[in-house]
Amino acid sequence: MAAQRQSNDPQDIEDEEGAIEESIEVSGVPLVVWAARLSLFLLAQGIIVLGSYAYYGFGTDPSRFGPGFRLDPIHAAVIFVWGLAGSVIGFFMPRLSISFMLAFAIFFTLFAGFGTFTADHFGMKLDIMDNLANWALALIAWAIGIYALWQVCLYEEEEEERGEGEA
């Protein structure tokens, strides 16, 4: 900002600061949108594992695959669906990112809970590492989703205060 301010009028200074804040807000991408976009990695993992099963046969033992890809076909399909949904939302419908993140958190909390505390794994072969990964995904999703909701609430409070100050 090499340009000098034309006047020292407080109203002009306030308008300039408001324009700067708006430009930063518009050009930035919120954390929750990046988190939804990161589900692209889940999509890739699901595609690779399901493609491997399609090639080698769905009766293949998951331990034959490399680390990070030792998912059974049902688990790979679940990962694929969540990865596809998150990628579409993150890249094409970012306004739904908070809802996606909270739904993701709820699902993976239930998924990890059933995998850890019950014998019913919905036909999937979940081991300790799968359950730990699901718990980690759930906790990260909760943290990001709740943080995004908190930011929205703060923004709405600021807007209300601005609205009352103008009236």
Side-chain angles (χ1 to χ4, degrees):
M1 298 209 145
Q4 297 246 341
R5 203 176 277 128
Q6 296 297 329
S7 71
N8 287 332
D9 183 25
Q11 184 62 35
D12 290 342
I13 295 171
E14 202 171 292
D15 291 344
E16 183 180 333
E17 289 174 354
I20 291 170
E21 286 177 13
E22 287 178 25
S23 67
I24 292 171
E25 187 177 324
V26 170
S27 65
V29 177
L31 174 66
V32 70
V33 175
W34 282 110
R37 289 176 179 179
L38 281 175
S39 64
L40 186 64
F41 290 110
L42 294 177
L43 177 64
Q45 182 185 28
I47 288 172
I48 291 169
V49 173
L50 288 174
S52 298
Y53 278 117
Y55 183 77
Y56 294 114
F58 284 90
T60 305
D61 183 24
S63 64
R64 290 189 54 196
F65 300 134
F69 298 101
R70 293 180 179 147
L71 307 173
D72 63 278
I74 299 170
H75 194 178
V78 168
I79 294 296
F80 171 79
V81 168
W82 279 103
L84 180 64
S87 298
V88 168
I89 288 170
F91 287 104
F92 302 109
M93 295 181 284
R95 68 185 179 284
L96 299 175
S97 293
I98 295 174
S99 299
F100 168 77
M101 196 55 55
L102 293 173
F104 185 90
I106 291 169
F107 177 82
F108 274 91
T109 300
L110 292 173
F111 194 44
F114 277 111
T116 303
F117 302 116
T118 67
D120 186 15
H121 297 166
F122 305 106
M124 292 179 263
K125 301 169 189 160
L126 301 175
D127 62 3
I128 292 172
M129 293 308 291
D130 290 331
N131 289 329
L132 288 175
N134 291 334
W135 279 116
L137 284 172
L139 291 173
I140 291 168
W142 277 117
I144 293 171
I146 290 171
Y147 175 76
L149 279 177
W150 178 58
Q151 292 296 315
V152 167
C153 290
L154 287 178
Y155 180 76
E156 288 176 357
E157 286 177 9
E158 287 178 6
E159 289 296 316
E160 286 177 9
E161 290 173 5
R162 286 184 191 163
E164 290 173 4
E166 291 176 0

